[in-house]
Amino acid sequence: MHDLKKSEKKKKTRGINFRSKYFGLVLGVFLIVMTCLIWGSTRADHLEQLLSNVESITVIYANKIENRIDYIEFGLSELAEHGPPDTLEDQENWDMRTDFYIGNLYGIENIVWLDRDMIIRRVNPAENSDYIMNGKINTSRNIPYYTSLVLPVYDQNMIAGFILCDINMSKLILSINDEFEGDYMIQVFDGIQLLVSSDNWQQPKVDVSVDREISFKSRTYRFVLAPTEEIVTLSTRNSVWIAVFGFSLSVLVAVIWYATSISSIRLEGLVTKRTKELNYLTNHDYLTDLSNRRYYYEQFKKLDQPTYYPIGIMMLDVNGLKIINDAFGHTVGDRALKMMGSILDEIFKEADVVARIGGDEFAVLLPNASPEKLEYYKETIKDAVKRHQINNIELSLAIGFELKKSMDENIDDILKIAENHMYRHKTSEGSSVRNRAISAILKTLTDKYSVEREHSYKVSLLCRAIGQHLNLREDELNELEQAGLFHDIGKISIPDDILNKPDKLTKEEYEIIKSHTEVGYQILKAADEYSSLAIQALHHHERWDGKGYPGGLKGTDIPLFSRIIGVVDAYEAMTADRPYRKKLTKEYAISEIKRCSGTQFDPDIAKIFIEKVVQTQ
């Protein structure tokens, strides 16, 4: 009996041990299966979130490409506005501007000037001789990754020629990738033909890539955007850790599960926040925080239905922005654009769509509007803008508007009418705005630097005195006096630490100082009242022997007023206190004018100045 009980006890113990042993195995297998399921689910979720992120990035990428194309078209339109490069000076200016566009606008390979007969007259870069075939465009050039952009150039309402620009779309598309710090790879296709891949391209192990098409001038390019292996690994790293720790004890698995849940919640929150940020950037202008061009046209299509008729379309353009940029730099110009954006954002209601649609252009959509309502907003905007200034320059907007009253009216026609109203307003007020801006720039310069105020005033009086001895007419004397007053207006763009430097300038600083003649030219030529003075300001540092700047003109090729200013400017600079030295004597200055007569100065003007102006004072 004892043996039987002992045997039964052993069997019972073996059963318990068996169940305990295999329960642990079953539990281990269960935990492994659960871990694999959790790992697979988490990895799939992370990859889905990553794909969503890539899709958002692709939209931003495409918008950035379209923005750069818009900037290229805007830049070439500005180049076309300057007219054909017929004269040597026009050609030099054309080369200077096209050098700037090629160097600063991504994707431009060549810019070609064609006359009205489509004969090539000028190519930049000039060494790109393979572009020319018998003086005409080589139509056999069919490079897949090039797209040609052609703009007509008008001269007094007549076509004077064309600007043709080769845009390397592959280069333009790839250049955007630099802004994403190497986190993404890209390939560009023309149809099914691969044109180019980014340097970091590797065949993705996990397909989370997104295709997108870009159309430009009847050609369609397709680009494929994919995250790098590092980004994929980073996005799925948590699921790998789950798999590793899933084979541990149940307590450890529970802890890891909890930690992973928290991590997933945080990751989801981060991705959600990032997605919102990306969506915001997709629909908003980076500078003003207003809606962008893309969002504006999307909303126009949504509002184009009877519920919202009549729809008010208001177009606005900043007057004189180019003068502000030329005089004070683009940073100040950006401040002006931000100020305009803030004003418009405060004036209009939440239901209205306010957008920046171009470099200096804004637009507003107003559902259920009326002519009286649009006129009210126009006057409100004008009054609000008048109360703001940038560096003494009064800001101004050209405004035009139109109503879309039914589905039968074409959107493009309505936009064109509103734009034409705006341009008529700009034409009527733009000239006076630019004239006031130039006067404000001179006031800013002379208020800031008392030396420049006295210098400009004295130069203008001495120039008039020379002109009287040259028997110039009264209108010519007035123009000469004004040229003397405005000759150094370009110094507004020179940094303070260079203008006020008490020591000798470095070579680099001297080159910056020399740029004031060209900046002054750009500022003065922008306004009708002062355009005749622009050429005098540009060449007042030329030398009689041709060794001056910026054009290296020689002798009588230098405009007369520029030669007069050159003599007076040098004399007045020598006989006035400067940051780097005390003023020199009148006798010494006269001796220097005599010594440099025939080399730096026009000998006839120098003689009149010494004998009839200075020595009679």
Side-chain angles (χ1 to χ4, degrees):
M1 189 73 178
H2 176 73
D3 290 337
L4 183 60
K5 288 182 178 179
K6 188 175 180 180
S7 175
E8 289 178 353
K9 186 176 180 180
K10 285 184 178 178
K11 287 182 179 178
K12 187 176 181 179
T13 302
R14 283 201 301 267
I16 293 171
N17 290 337
F18 177 83
R19 288 194 298 270
S20 298
K21 178 180 179 181
Y22 285 99
F23 178 77
L25 178 61
V26 171
L27 179 60
V29 172
F30 175 76
L31 291 174
I32 291 172
V33 171
M34 289 300 296
T35 301
C36 290
L37 290 174
I38 294 169
W39 172 79
S41 175
T42 305
R43 179 177 172 81
D45 184 50
H46 288 169
L47 289 176
E48 184 178 350
Q49 290 175 355
L50 179 60
L51 180 60
S52 175
N53 196 16
V54 174
E55 289 173 345
S56 298
I57 290 291
T58 304
V59 172
I60 292 176
Y61 204 107
N63 288 337
K64 286 179 176 289
I65 293 170
E66 292 172 355
N67 286 340
R68 291 200 175 171
I69 290 173
D70 288 343
Y71 281 128
I72 289 174
E73 291 182 328
F74 178 78
L76 293 175
S77 298
E78 185 179 16
L79 181 63
E81 289 177 0
H82 289 90
D86 294 326
T87 67
L88 179 60
E89 178 186 338
D90 290 343
Q91 292 170 4
E92 290 173 351
N93 289 334
W94 193 87
D95 290 342
M96 180 175 67
R97 293 190 188 96
T98 53
D99 283 343
F100 174 81
Y101 294 139
I102 291 172
N104 290 275
L105 298 180
Y106 293 98
I108 295 182
E109 295 287 335
N110 309 289
I111 302 179
V112 183
W113 164 249
L114 307 158
D115 65 16
R116 69 182 66 185
D117 298 319
M118 302 299 286
I119 303 297
I120 294 177
R121 296 302 185 192
R122 203 160 191 86
V123 179
N124 195 353
E127 62 272 14
N128 200 354
S129 58
D130 63 332
Y131 201 99
I132 300 177
M133 179 180 289
N134 298 327
K136 289 194 173 184
I137 299 175
N138 182 356
T139 55
S140 66
R141 295 171 73 257
N142 188 24
I143 305 173
Y145 46 80
Y146 275 179
T147 297
S148 293
L149 179 65
V150 180
L151 286 85
V153 179
Y154 293 91
D155 187 5
Q156 296 185 356
N157 299 325
M158 297 289 291
I159 292 181
F162 303 88
I163 292 175
L164 182 141
C165 173
D166 268 342
I167 299 175
N168 187 330
M169 286 297 292
S170 298
K171 179 178 177 182
L172 189 151
I173 294 172
L174 280 184
S175 68
I176 305 293
N177 207 35
D178 295 339
E179 299 183 18
F180 294 90
E181 300 178 352
D183 291 343
Y184 295 89
M185 309 178 294
I186 187 168
Q187 285 187 324
V188 184
F189 294 83
D190 182 15
I192 62 172
Q193 179 183 355
L194 174 64
L195 298 182
V196 68
S197 301
S198 59
D199 294 338
N200 64 341
W201 180 267
Q202 294 178 344
Q203 190 61 34
K205 295 179 182 178
V206 180
D207 186 12
V208 283
S209 61
V210 178
D211 287 27
R212 184 84 177 196
E213 288 188 348
I214 294 291
S215 296
F216 181 51
K217 300 302 179 185
S218 77
R219 297 192 74 154
T220 300
Y221 296 87
R222 181 170 63 90
F223 69 88
V224 179
L225 191 71
T228 61
E229 191 64 31
E230 291 80 3
I231 296 297
V232 175
T233 301
L234 181 64
S235 298
T236 58
R237 183 173 58 186
N238 286 343
S239 58
V240 174
W241 282 111
I242 292 171
V244 171
F245 288 103
F247 296 97
S248 303
L249 297 173
S250 58
V251 174
L252 185 58
V253 170
V255 172
I256 293 175
W257 174 257
Y258 176 77
T260 304
S261 299
I262 296 299
S263 178
S264 296
I265 291 171
R266 288 177 178 174
L267 180 60
E268 183 179 353
L270 182 62
V271 171
T272 302
K273 180 181 178 182
R274 182 63 173 163
T275 301
K276 288 180 179 179
E277 290 175 353
L278 293 174
N279 288 335
Y280 182 85
L281 292 173
T282 300
N283 293 323
H284 287 77
D285 174 55
Y286 73 96
L287 182 64
T288 61
D289 279 337
L290 297 176
S291 301
N292 60 16
R293 185 187 190 95
R294 174 181 173 275
Y295 183 81
Y296 172 78
Y297 283 106
E298 284 182 354
Q299 292 304 302
F300 204 150
K301 292 176 182 177
K302 290 180 180 179
L303 294 173
D304 191 17
Q305 50 186 301
T307 306
Y308 301 106
Y309 290 148
I311 303 172
I313 298 98
M314 185 171 280
M315 307 293 286
L316 310 97
D317 188 280
V318 182
N319 290 320
L321 183 63
K322 184 178 184 303
I323 293 179
I324 294 174
N325 285 334
D326 287 339
F328 303 107
H330 286 271
T331 301
V332 177
D334 287 348
R335 277 176 47 209
L337 290 171
K338 289 180 182 178
M339 190 178 292
M340 291 297 187
S342 297
I343 293 171
L344 295 177
D345 194 41
E346 290 176 4
I347 289 175
F348 288 97
K349 299 177 182 177
E350 189 173 338
D352 303 326
V353 180
V354 184
R356 180 184 174 216
I357 62 172
D360 56 358
E361 291 186 18
F362 297 84
V364 184
L365 293 176
L366 299 96
N368 306 121
S370 65
E372 294 77 16
K373 184 177 182 180
L374 294 177
E375 188 64 38
Y376 165 76
Y377 274 125
K378 177 180 177 180
E379 295 303 320
T380 302
I381 294 168
K382 287 171 65 177
D383 291 341
V385 170
K386 281 181 181 178
R387 295 194 292 269
H388 293 78
Q389 290 187 343
I390 289 283
N391 291 16
N392 286 333
I393 296 179
E394 184 180 293
L395 296 179
S396 169
L397 280 172
I399 305 172
F401 59 79
E402 186 58 44
L403 287 170
K404 188 176 191 302
K405 302 173 182 177
S406 68
M407 293 288 290
D408 297 332
E409 294 178 307
N410 184 274
I411 290 178
D412 292 333
D413 291 341
I414 299 297
L415 288 171
K416 192 66 178 176
I417 293 171
E419 197 171 58
N420 287 340
H421 290 330
M422 177 194 73
Y423 283 126
R424 277 201 292 272
H425 186 199
K426 191 175 185 72
T427 301
S428 64
E429 293 191 3
S431 179
S432 62
V433 168
R434 291 190 294 270
N435 292 340
R436 290 197 302 271
I438 289 174
S439 297
I441 290 170
L442 181 65
K443 185 177 186 302
T444 299
L445 177 66
T446 55
D447 286 351
K448 195 173 184 181
Y449 306 107
S450 59
V451 171
E452 290 298 332
R453 179 172 62 249
E454 295 173 8
H455 174 72
S456 299
Y457 177 69
K458 290 179 181 179
V459 168
S460 67
L461 292 182
L462 291 173
C463 284
R464 184 179 183 89
I466 293 176
Q468 289 171 336
H469 287 289
L470 289 173
N471 297 321
L472 298 181
R473 299 190 310 270
E474 184 63 27
D475 60 323
E476 293 174 324
L477 290 173
N478 292 335
E479 183 177 338
L480 175 57
E481 187 174 358
Q482 270 207 317
L485 187 64
F486 284 89
H487 75 285
D488 273 341
I489 195 171
K491 285 185 178 178
I492 193 69
S493 67
I494 307 300
D496 295 353
D497 58 342
I498 295 179
L499 274 183
N500 292 324
K501 186 174 181 180
D503 304 318
K504 184 178 179 181
L505 296 177
T506 65
K507 183 178 179 181
E508 292 76 16
E509 290 170 338
Y510 181 59
E511 289 300 317
I512 293 174
I513 283 284
K514 286 167 63 176
S515 69
H516 80 277
T517 58
E518 292 167 293
V519 172
Y521 172 77
Q522 295 294 338
I523 293 172
L524 291 171
K525 76 168 187 173
D528 296 338
E529 183 179 336
Y530 300 107
S531 58
S532 61
L533 309 181
I535 199 69
Q536 321 299 343
L538 178 65
H539 293 298
H540 77 274
H541 279 291
E542 304 285 1
R543 289 171 54 105
W544 186 255
D545 58 10
K547 296 179 181 179
Y549 65 86
L553 301 185
K554 184 177 182 180
T556 56
D557 288 340
I558 306 169
L560 173 62
F561 289 2
S562 296
R563 282 180 272 150
I564 294 173
I565 295 170
V567 173
V568 176
D569 185 44
Y571 174 81
E572 208 289 317
M574 285 188 283
T575 55
D577 287 332
R578 292 284 164 165
Y580 51 86
R581 60 152 175 79
K582 291 292 184 180
K583 66 180 181 180
L584 305 172
T585 65
K586 175 179 177 180
E587 291 72 23
Y588 177 82
I590 290 174
S591 68
E592 281 296 293
I593 298 293
K594 287 180 179 179
R595 184 177 67 82
C596 297
S597 177
T599 55
Q600 181 176 350
F601 307 121
D602 180 333
D604 294 333
I605 292 175
K607 183 177 180 181
I608 291 173
F609 179 65
I610 292 170
E611 295 179 358
K612 297 185 178 182
V613 177
V614 177
Q615 292 183 345
T616 60
Q617 287 182 331

